Amino acid sequence: MKTAFEILKQANDEHFALGAFNCANIETLKAITQAAANLKAPVILEASDGEINYMGYEQMVSLKRIYEKQVGIPIILNLDHGKDFDSCKRAIEAGFDYVHLDGGKMEFEDNVAMATEVVKLAHEHGIPVEGEMDHIEGSSADHTTEDPKNLQNEKLFTDPDRAEEFVRRTGIDVFASFIGNLHGLYADQKHLKMDLLTKIKEKLPNTWLSLHGGSGTDSNDVVNAIKLGIVKVNVNSELRIAFKMTLQEVLNASDEIAVYKIMDKPIKEVQRVVEGKIKLFGTAGKAA
Ligand code: G3H
Ligand code: ZN
């Protein structure tokens, strides 16, 4: 099976983006892996600290390996928004394939120092590190009563020169920038600042770029961002909402108590959303 480095390189060379889908339980894991298998698409399966604390580090690694073997499609397991060195170390040593250190709320120099340490450890294990230096606003939740523009403060967006310095000094492999890409689903579609993304790519021609906040982002912007060099798009809120709303409908509509029967529809609905994203990101068939 290809490594995370090899798949990122493939995405960069062939101009597609890997969907990075958050997984919080066996049902979302099934939905994501089944979508990947149906469309022959490599995927990133990811879990934040909260999601991993629920699932368990070793459990996530074992499940990922079992499903990967079963579907025969590369599944990269990523620690999403790892909060510190210890959290990344725990994931790396448990067998994760990729880690994302979120230093967005840290002082720049502290972030550089921590990211450098994470890169050293991750590279000793042969896995890539994603770094972040500007806090990407919002949260992976339903914000549909809020206007996204209230959180898209351009003064807080990524400065390309600083991004270049951050990457040069830390040696991170993937850079997550803040270009209007909020976390969460809002009243309006989110739009990205494409000219800023272009400038960031010009400063970082040899660094892979990720896009957080994939839910509810204008599809044309996503496609154009991939053309400009985005190789990973994170999606969480749309999956959470699909799961919860469908589960609620099923529970309201029946007295069924067999859990595996109740979960069938939520799994299918999450899978439908994941398949739509995989097609949008141009990843279908890339594991063929
Ligand atoms: O790290 C996870 C994501 O950036 C998800 O963002 O909830 O807007 O899809 P989202
Ligand atoms: Zn994110």
Side-chain angles (χ1 to χ4, degrees):
M1 211 62 83
K2 280 185 177 169
T3 66
F5 275 113
E6 289 168 339
I7 297 171
L8 286 163
K9 184 179 179 313
Q10 183 192 353
N12 190 63
D13 293 348
E14 297 177 20
H15 307 290
F16 67 88
L18 293 152
F21 302 107
N22 284 74
C23 167
N25 56 14
I26 191 85
E27 288 76 22
T28 40
L29 194 154
K30 279 186 172 203
I32 295 163
T33 52
Q34 195 50 53
N38 279 357
L39 296 176
K40 299 204 175 356
V43 282
I44 298 180
L45 182 73
E46 62 182 18
S48 62
D49 284 310
E51 287 159 338
I52 297 174
N53 287 335
Y54 177 70
M55 290 289 281
Y57 285 80
E58 283 72 24
Q59 287 87 340
M60 278 297 287
V61 172
S62 298
L63 284 166
K64 172 255 150 153
R65 287 181 183 160
I66 291 165
Y67 276 86
E68 183 176 57
K69 200 171 167 197
Q70 203 172 61
V71 296
I73 299 284
I75 299 172
I76 299 165
L77 181 59
N78 170 33
L79 168 68
D80 183 37
H81 293 280
K83 63 179 182 314
D84 55 25
F85 178 80
D86 287 347
S87 165
C88 292
K89 182 171 184 278
R90 178 107 200 258
I92 292 166
E93 291 179 347
F96 277 56
D97 309 300
Y98 182 121
V99 286
H100 163 219
L101 172 68
D102 178 355
K105 283 190 170 167
M106 292 168 69
E107 291 299 327
F108 184 77
E109 287 301 327
D110 294 341
N111 192 6
V112 167
M114 191 178 284
T116 305
E117 287 305 302
V118 172
V119 167
K120 187 170 176 291
L121 183 67
H123 286 183
E124 281 167 10
H125 286 73
I127 69 168
V129 177
E130 177 174 334
E132 176 176 334
M133 61 173 208
D134 303 294
H135 178 61
I136 299 165
E137 298 285 340
S139 62
S140 288
D142 184 344
H143 298 277
T144 46
T145 56
E146 298 168 42
D147 185 341
K149 290 186 193 70
N150 294 339
L151 288 172
Q152 289 168 317
N153 179 356
E154 294 201 14
K155 288 192 185 117
L156 302 177
F157 286 3
T158 296
D159 175 287
D161 289 315
R162 228 164 133 76
E164 188 279 326
E165 181 186 347
F166 184 70
V167 171
R168 177 169 36 82
R169 290 178 60 194
T170 58
I172 56 160
D173 309 285
V174 183
F175 181 74
S177 43
F178 183 31
I179 53 170
N181 46 326
L182 308 171
H183 287 112
L185 211 57
Y186 294 80
D188 284 329
Q189 293 268 294
K190 292 174 266 184
H191 286 277
L192 307 174
K193 208 164 158 32
M194 308 306 292
D195 55 338
L196 178 56
L197 179 60
T198 305
K199 284 183 190 143
I200 293 168
K201 189 63 199 172
E202 278 166 9
K203 289 281 173 185
L204 299 173
N206 302 314
T207 305
W208 294 312
L209 302 180
S210 78
L211 181 72
H212 282 252
S215 295
T217 305
D218 179 80
S219 296
N220 286 328
D221 281 12
V222 172
V223 169
N224 288 331
I226 294 169
K227 283 187 192 149
L228 290 174
I230 291 289
V231 296
K232 166 178 174 277
V233 183
N234 289 37
V235 182
N236 193 357
S237 304
E238 284 190 45
L239 310 187
R240 287 180 168 180
I241 291 169
F243 184 82
K244 194 212 162 179
M245 301 305 278
T246 315
L247 180 60
Q248 207 155 38
E249 275 169 29
V250 173
L251 293 175
N252 288 344
S254 117
D255 292 329
E256 182 59 63
I257 61 162
V259 176
Y260 69 93
K261 292 183 183 168
I262 293 169
M263 291 302 174
D264 195 45
K265 274 194 179 171
I267 292 172
K268 288 206 169 73
E269 186 55 20
V270 174
Q271 186 183 324
R272 190 187 64 77
V273 176
V274 173
E275 288 185 6
K277 297 294 179 190
I278 286 174
K279 288 177 190 162
L280 179 68
F281 303 160
T283 328
K286 296 297 183 181

